[in-house]
């Protein structure tokens, strides 16, 4: 076992970093509410533009510039990262739209569904096999989504787009031989030309809402780069210091925080269909988590080779 590989169920100091990453992602709707007067496309463009310099600073500190340059020269890697960059841009845009239009509940549901989508994608594209409990969890979640088709169809597209775009993004990043931070830097590099064009267009239009219209809003849009890069760096650190299975349990922190924010801070109405769906999703997560805990416990009890 290498020094960067943690045994299942082991923290090895990674838990604080994981909690930090998912807490930031959970509270990020509060940040986006501060810039809700800005068109979502401009917020996305500014987020990408300002993420790249911070990524380079962190890569310099972590001595990962060489990995970034090597990946840039690999056409196969670039093609895969182009696809992942489009998916993550779509994910970010839909999430920003959801926050701006007071649909944080729908966004929260999307990220609750994400681990179950990962399981299904792994089964379809990676040949992974579902345990009986995992299959049961997916069926329960599917019933919840079916209920939304009947009672909350207007926001279902948000939840499913977020879940499947991020799930497919994760699937691509799983098979691309490049680290988390250099990969993000390449994705933002690929998205930079369109982002600069979009940012320049909105500055040229000058409708008094976006970057350049005032010091406060300009600083907030620039800070979007920090909001993007810092939790990803924390996540990458956590992933190296604890098992990925254990990290999976912590990921429910972010949608849980968003769920509470939507109800108690943003005062979003909770439809009956949404409530039933959330209850079923939580039940599926309980089944899924129990199965993961059981496997982690079995691995801990296995004698060392």
């Amino acid at each position: 076992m290498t020094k960067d590989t943690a045994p299942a169920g082991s923290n090895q100091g990674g838990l604080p970093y994981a909690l930090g990453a998912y807490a930031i992602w959970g509270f990020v709707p509060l940040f986006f509410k501060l810039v809700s007067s800005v068109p979502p496309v401009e917020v996305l463009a500014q987020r990408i533009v300002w993420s790249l310099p911070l990524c380079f600073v962190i890569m310099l500190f972590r001595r990962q510039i060489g990995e970034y340059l090597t990946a840039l020269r690999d056409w196969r890697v670039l093609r895969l990262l182009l696809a992942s960059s489009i998916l993550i841009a779509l994910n970010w845009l839909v999430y920003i739209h959801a926050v701006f239009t007071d649909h944080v509940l729908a966004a929260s549901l999307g990220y609750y569904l994400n681990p179950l989508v990962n399981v299904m994608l792994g089964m379809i594209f990676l040949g992974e096999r579902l345990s009986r409990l995992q299959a049961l969890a997916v069926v329960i979640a599917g019933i919840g989504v079916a209920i939304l088709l009947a009672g909350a169809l207007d926001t279902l597209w948000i939840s499913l787009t977020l879940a499947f775009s991020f799930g497919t993004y994760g699937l691509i990043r799983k098979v691309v031989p490049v680290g988390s931070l250099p990969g993000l830097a390449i994705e933002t590099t690929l998205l930079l030309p369109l982002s600069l064009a979009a940012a320049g267009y909105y500055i040229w239009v000058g409708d008094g809402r976006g970057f350049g219209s005032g010091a406060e809003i300009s600083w907030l849009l620039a800070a979007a780069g920090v909001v993007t890069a810092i939790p990803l760096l924390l996540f990458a650190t956590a992933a190296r210091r604890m098992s990925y299975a254990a990290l999976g349990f912590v990921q429910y922190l972010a949608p849980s925080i968003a769920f509470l924010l939507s109800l108690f801070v943003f005062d979003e109405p909770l439809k009956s269909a949404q409530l039933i769906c959330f209850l079923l999703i939580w039940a599926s997560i309980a089944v899924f988590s129990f199965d993961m805990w059981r496997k982690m416990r079995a691995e801990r009890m296995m004698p060392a080779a």
Side-chain angles (χ1 to χ4, degrees):
M1 181 177 293
T2 66
K3 66 180 181 179
D4 290 334
T5 304
S10 172
N11 283 337
Q12 293 191 347
L15 184 59
Y17 296 95
L19 291 174
Y22 284 110
I24 292 173
W25 280 328
F27 284 108
V28 80
L30 294 173
F31 171 81
F32 284 124
K33 284 290 187 181
L34 297 176
V35 294
S36 59
S37 61
V38 182
V41 173
E42 182 178 5
V43 175
L44 174 63
Q46 293 290 344
R47 183 178 187 178
I48 293 167
V49 168
W50 293 103
S51 293
L52 190 56
L54 185 57
C55 285
F56 272 109
V57 170
I58 299 173
M59 283 193 299
L60 281 171
F61 177 75
R62 297 169 63 91
R63 299 179 181 178
Q64 291 181 304
I65 295 294
E67 186 178 352
Y68 168 84
L69 294 175
T70 299
L72 272 179
R73 292 191 291 267
D74 189 324
W75 177 237
R76 176 180 175 273
V77 168
L78 276 182
R79 282 187 299 172
L80 289 170
L81 288 177
L82 177 61
S84 67
S85 67
I86 293 170
L87 286 167
I88 198 63
L90 173 65
N91 183 273
W92 287 346
L93 182 61
V94 172
Y95 188 82
I96 293 167
H97 169 79
V99 174
F100 284 13
T101 55
D102 298 322
H103 290 138
V104 178
L105 266 177
S108 171
L109 175 59
Y111 288 112
Y112 273 126
L113 284 171
N114 181 243
L116 302 170
V117 168
N118 289 345
V119 169
M120 290 190 294
L121 291 175
M123 179 184 65
I124 296 169
F125 295 103
L126 301 178
E128 297 175 354
R129 306 180 77 177
L130 292 182
S131 68
R132 290 182 180 180
L133 286 178
Q134 287 177 335
L136 176 61
V138 171
V139 169
I140 294 173
I143 294 172
V145 172
I147 290 173
L148 278 187
L149 284 171
L153 186 59
D154 57 328
T155 60
L156 179 61
W157 72 271
I158 293 175
S159 304
L160 293 182
T161 301
L162 290 175
F164 279 93
S165 62
F166 199 72
T168 310
Y169 169 80
L171 178 67
I172 293 174
R173 291 302 305 271
K174 184 178 178 68
V175 300
V176 177
V178 64
S180 175
L181 186 60
L184 174 66
I186 292 174
E187 287 166 346
T188 51
T189 300
L190 294 172
L191 293 170
L192 188 63
L194 279 177
S195 300
L196 285 172
Y201 167 78
Y202 282 106
I203 292 174
W204 176 70
V205 169
D207 60 0
R209 294 186 295 167
F211 191 86
S213 62
E216 182 179 353
I217 198 68
S218 296
W219 279 110
L220 283 171
L221 289 172
V226 177
V227 172
T228 297
I230 293 301
L232 280 168
L233 176 61
L234 292 172
F235 174 81
T237 304
R240 287 195 310 274
R241 298 192 181 193
M242 63 193 296
S243 73
Y244 207 71
L247 189 62
F249 287 107
V250 187
Q251 69 183 332
Y252 296 114
L253 176 63
S256 297
I257 293 172
F259 176 81
L260 294 174
L261 286 176
S262 66
L263 292 182
F264 300 110
V265 177
F266 305 139
D267 296 321
E268 290 186 26
L270 181 61
K271 299 177 182 178
S272 298
Q274 287 176 314
L275 176 59
I276 295 172
C277 181
F278 271 109
L279 291 174
L280 288 170
I281 295 298
W282 290 329
S284 71
I285 288 170
V287 172
F288 181 78
S289 299
F290 173 75
D291 186 62
M292 293 294 294
W293 171 82
R294 187 182 63 170
K295 291 179 179 177
M296 290 165 57
R297 185 171 180 270
E299 289 177 9
R300 284 201 306 268
M301 295 179 67
M302 287 178 61

